[in-house]
Amino acid sequence: MSISLTPARIFEWLREEEASRLNMLWELADGARRRYVGDDVHLRGLAEISNHCVRRCTYCGINTGNNDLPRYRMDAAEILGCAREARALSYGTVVLQSGEDRGLSQSFVSEVVRAIKGETGLAVTLSLGERPEEDFGEWKRAGADRYLLRFETSDRLLYERVHPSLRGKRSDRFSLLRILKKLGYEIGSGVMVGLPGQTFESLARDIESFRDLDLDMIGVGPFIPHPTTALGRKPTATGLDDVPATELMTLKVVALARLVCPEANIPATTALSTVNMREGYELALQRGANVVMPNITPAKYRALYQIYPGKSLAGGNHEDSCALIRGRIEALGRGIGTGPGGRRRIKPVDRLMS
């Protein structure tokens, strides 16, 4: 289900700068969030299980060309330990994220998923990049509930500039998302806001793609290149009408994502909180978001999964970080969600916006 919002209106909202009009957008998005997913904020424990990656993305600090980065890959016991910690902290979901690491074999991931499901009962979300359909199918049979695969931009030329395909294999994340949906996963995707060369027209198409894919989860963050990468060392020149990589623009996309996919789970992303550590979570939660993903990666690995600068600074002691996040959520008058917090499909209601 989506709220009626035409492509032309999406574009207009992206270009809107008037504070009073933006306040209207925030109110519409927050109202849709309250009506469709409620006031509870669900917490997902994020475990970054490997920083190996075969990709050469031109902004990401763990890309395969970064030869100065010490690499790690958690073993099964370490990953299960993260899941136990997530359960101890009363999170309903554990998210296993990595670079696109071929060392995480189909059988290894299946065994880990079965162990987590058998011991903790948590929902399991995987975010392991592009993999063969056979891997996706086996992991679903092992018990995985959700899969996150961000398409980053629907502009094909821009995508290929910043996400070079592997030799002999053209990347097609839209096709993979449809395969994942067919296999029964809840599917999550999303975009970066302010990629060099991103236009308002292409960003509006991205938001339409959220609706076309009927996404269950949507992640939106500002473009933050790692300084060791090509775009971090020498950013590509952008046109005067390109999308800025700002907090405000990112919050617009969060709000519009809520309006086009009102039932979706939308996180207040770590990237947004990195840009604004003081109130990044709060602003996103007041503009349509309903999920926060505290990091439960073991301390010895945290700094090695620095896909963008400043990321490893968030958090600290996991129990203290959890208490801090809960306090910030409760200060907004919001509750903490319980259980797995999957998408709730509801019957049609009155449209909020024409």
Side-chain angles (χ1 to χ4, degrees):
M1 175 187 300
S2 68
I3 294 168
S4 178
L5 193 64
T6 66
R9 289 295 292 134
I10 293 172
F11 179 83
E12 289 171 7
W13 278 121
L14 289 174
R15 300 304 303 261
E16 185 60 65
E17 297 293 336
E18 175 62 42
S20 62
R21 292 281 297 161
L22 288 174
N23 284 336
M24 183 186 304
L25 177 62
W26 310 146
E27 290 171 7
L28 287 165
D30 199 43
R33 185 272 308 159
R34 185 177 302 110
R35 176 177 293 193
Y36 284 84
V37 299
D39 283 331
D40 286 349
V41 176
H42 285 274
L43 303 180
R44 327 280 208 206
L46 174 64
E48 296 153 335
I49 65 174
S50 169
N51 72 348
H52 289 265
C53 190
V54 299
R55 298 280 172 175
R56 293 186 178 274
C57 300
T58 57
Y59 57 86
C60 180
I62 68 169
N63 81 84
T64 192
N66 186 354
N67 296 319
D68 296 326
L69 178 67
R71 302 288 176 169
Y72 73 89
R73 182 182 298 120
M74 290 191 209
D75 62 29
E78 289 175 307
I79 300 171
L80 186 55
C82 291
R84 291 179 183 135
E85 184 168 17
R87 183 183 60 182
L89 292 170
S90 298
Y91 301 156
T93 297
V94 62
V95 181
L96 307 184
Q97 184 179 78
S98 74
E100 198 163 307
D101 179 8
R102 296 296 184 263
L104 297 173
S105 69
Q106 179 193 105
S107 60
F108 174 82
V109 175
S110 295
E111 290 168 6
V112 166
V113 170
R114 287 192 181 95
I116 291 171
K117 298 295 284 190
E119 180 172 331
T120 72
L122 295 174
V124 176
T125 299
L126 301 177
S127 182
L128 308 178
E130 299 177 29
R131 302 288 294 238
E133 182 174 352
E134 293 77 14
D135 290 2
F136 294 147
E138 177 56 32
W139 298 339
K140 189 70 180 71
R141 288 187 289 274
D145 301 279
R146 308 173 188 136
Y147 203 96
L148 303 178
L149 184 66
R150 299 206 335 181
F151 64 78
E152 305 297 13
T153 174
S154 58
D155 181 329
R156 186 70 214 180
L157 293 178
L158 176 58
Y159 180 87
E160 290 178 347
R161 280 207 304 273
V162 298
H163 297 85
S165 291
L166 297 177
R167 182 175 297 178
K169 184 180 178 183
R170 188 171 186 264
S171 178
D172 185 351
R173 295 195 168 187
F174 286 93
S175 176
L176 290 176
L177 286 164
R178 294 186 179 97
I179 288 170
L180 288 159
K181 180 179 282 289
K182 179 188 68 175
L183 291 170
Y185 285 93
E186 285 194 3
I187 59 168
S189 195
V191 297
M192 281 185 291
V193 175
L195 278 167
Q198 183 181 57
T199 65
F200 285 91
E201 290 84 356
S202 71
L203 185 55
R205 288 195 299 272
D206 294 343
I207 295 168
E208 292 177 61
S209 295
F210 299 164
R211 176 164 51 197
D212 293 342
L213 290 164
D214 189 25
L215 292 176
D216 303 299
M217 303 167 284
I218 302 171
V220 178
F223 171 68
I224 310 175
H226 194 278
T228 64
T229 62
L231 288 177
R233 292 190 299 268
K234 186 177 180 182
T236 301
T238 59
L240 295 177
D241 201 39
D242 283 355
V243 174
T246 60
E247 177 185 48
L248 176 61
M249 186 59 62
T250 304
L251 291 170
K252 289 183 194 180
V253 179
V254 169
L256 291 166
R258 173 58 64 197
L259 292 174
V260 300
C261 293
E263 298 173 346
N265 284 308
I266 300 177
T269 58
T270 304
L272 194 51
S273 69
T274 299
V275 171
N276 183 348
M277 295 185 68
R278 185 174 61 87
E279 57 178 359
Y281 282 144
E282 287 84 347
L283 290 174
L285 290 171
Q286 292 170 318
R287 287 149 174 75
N290 70 312
V291 169
V292 174
M293 298 170 64
N295 198 309
I296 55 171
T297 304
K300 63 182 178 180
Y301 299 132
R302 285 286 299 275
L304 301 179
Y305 201 83
Q306 195 175 119
I307 54 180
Y308 50 81
K311 181 180 183 299
S312 63
L313 300 178
N317 177 278
H318 297 161
E319 188 172 347
D320 291 345
S321 296
C322 177
L324 177 61
I325 289 169
R326 287 174 180 270
R328 291 171 68 173
I329 291 168
E330 290 166 355
L332 295 175
R334 305 275 286 276
I336 305 299
T338 58
R343 175 177 175 176
R344 295 184 302 164
R345 294 183 181 271
I346 61 178
K347 295 179 180 179
V349 297
D350 295 336
R351 304 295 188 184
L352 298 182
M353 190 172 187
S354 60

